[in-house]
Amino acid sequence: HPETEYKDYVRKNIRFKYGPIDEGVGFGVEIFSGYGIFTGGLSNNYTNYIPFGATFEIYYKKFEFSPRVYLPIIPNKAKKDFAYSTGIYEEDKGMMQTMIHEASLGYAILNNNSFKISPFFGIAKIDIEPSKIDELKEISLNTFTCVTGLNLGIKIYDPYANAKTSGGFLLNLRYKYAKLNFSRKYDISGGMHLMTIGISLFAKEPKREY
């Protein structure tokens, strides 16, 4: 009843709601997997691949800093023969490893109790290489490039229901694109589309809505 003698106690301690805040500092960890698709000349030389990776994220206000590592679960293969100093690396017989080290900065344009949407931009080191045998390093491809994309976080656990300290889970759907150019070595260029799905655990102080 609105006029009960307990109304102030109920309002302060029971009848309240918390929501995400755009201020302060927070942290998160994520593991993910996905599918990488090469385009242009890269698609003519290498098959697509499936990565697995992890990241540790730092949140400041609406900004999100994310250093990410992608390792191959299912390596890709060469679609053509590559010559090196002591032989030929034959198509379909040797496994290639595509590894990505990325640092990106995102900005949350939407963050409510259900979703978080963050476009991002960053830099990445991308390596496409065969096994670690020394002479095969001759046919390795390595480059630094810019990446851009969009991250959609679906909040699968409501962290703001009854606690002042938020900690919840996100189902993260992430898309990024990178333009690659290895023209100095094999005159190979193209792009890479990479889609991942991951589970993220995050913690950030919420705000009280009422």
Side-chain angles (χ1 to χ4, degrees):
H1 193 277
E3 299 304 321
T4 179
E5 59 183 302
Y6 300 109
K7 67 177 182 179
D8 290 335
Y9 177 84
V10 170
R11 177 173 293 277
K12 292 179 181 179
N13 298 280
I14 300 177
R15 197 175 65 202
F16 57 80
K17 180 183 178 182
Y18 286 94
I21 190 173
D22 293 332
E23 304 296 329
V25 178
F27 303 94
V29 293
E30 179 188 354
I31 56 173
F32 54 84
S33 185
Y35 192 70
I37 300 173
F38 290 117
T39 65
L42 287 167
S43 66
N44 298 326
N45 289 273
Y46 304 101
T47 61
N48 299 326
Y49 81 112
I50 297 177
F52 173 84
T55 181
F56 175 78
E57 297 180 317
I58 301 173
Y59 313 125
Y60 177 68
K61 296 185 177 180
K62 292 186 177 183
F63 292 96
E64 304 168 354
F65 175 68
S66 177
R68 307 172 76 87
V69 177
Y70 301 76
L71 301 174
I73 294 180
I74 300 179
N76 42 333
K77 295 182 179 181
K79 290 184 175 181
K80 59 176 283 186
D81 295 343
F82 286 92
Y84 60 99
S85 58
T86 60
I88 300 292
Y89 196 73
E90 298 181 0
E91 64 175 295
D92 290 330
K93 292 188 177 180
M95 305 299 275
M96 307 294 289
Q97 301 180 75
T98 299
M99 293 175 287
I100 304 173
H101 296 81
E102 173 193 324
S104 60
L105 182 66
Y107 186 82
I109 60 175
L110 173 68
N111 186 17
N112 57 33
N113 284 1
S114 300
F115 300 101
K116 182 165 71 169
I117 299 176
S118 307
F120 63 87
F121 179 84
I123 59 173
K125 183 178 186 293
I126 299 179
D127 304 292
I128 304 174
E129 56 188 25
S131 62
K132 297 298 183 180
I133 301 174
D134 287 341
E135 57 265 29
L136 291 181
K137 291 182 180 179
E138 297 176 21
I139 60 174
S140 298
L141 300 179
N142 316 98
T143 190
F144 284 91
T145 188
C146 295
V147 298
T148 186
L150 185 70
N151 193 93
L152 169 62
I154 302 172
K155 297 181 180 179
I156 55 179
Y157 166 69
D158 181 5
Y160 310 113
N162 55 14
K164 293 185 178 181
T165 301
S166 70
F169 292 94
L170 287 173
L171 176 65
N172 270 329
L173 306 176
R174 187 178 180 92
Y175 165 80
K176 77 174 182 183
Y177 176 78
K179 178 70 174 177
L180 307 176
N181 190 341
F182 303 105
S183 58
R184 288 182 298 175
K185 196 165 189 179
Y186 283 109
D187 195 24
I188 298 173
S189 61
M192 180 178 64
H193 301 277
L194 184 57
M195 290 75 68
T196 61
I197 181 170
I199 296 293
S200 174
L201 171 65
F202 69 94
K204 188 176 184 182
E205 183 180 356
K207 66 180 178 182
R208 181 166 171 173
E209 296 183 346
Y210 59 77

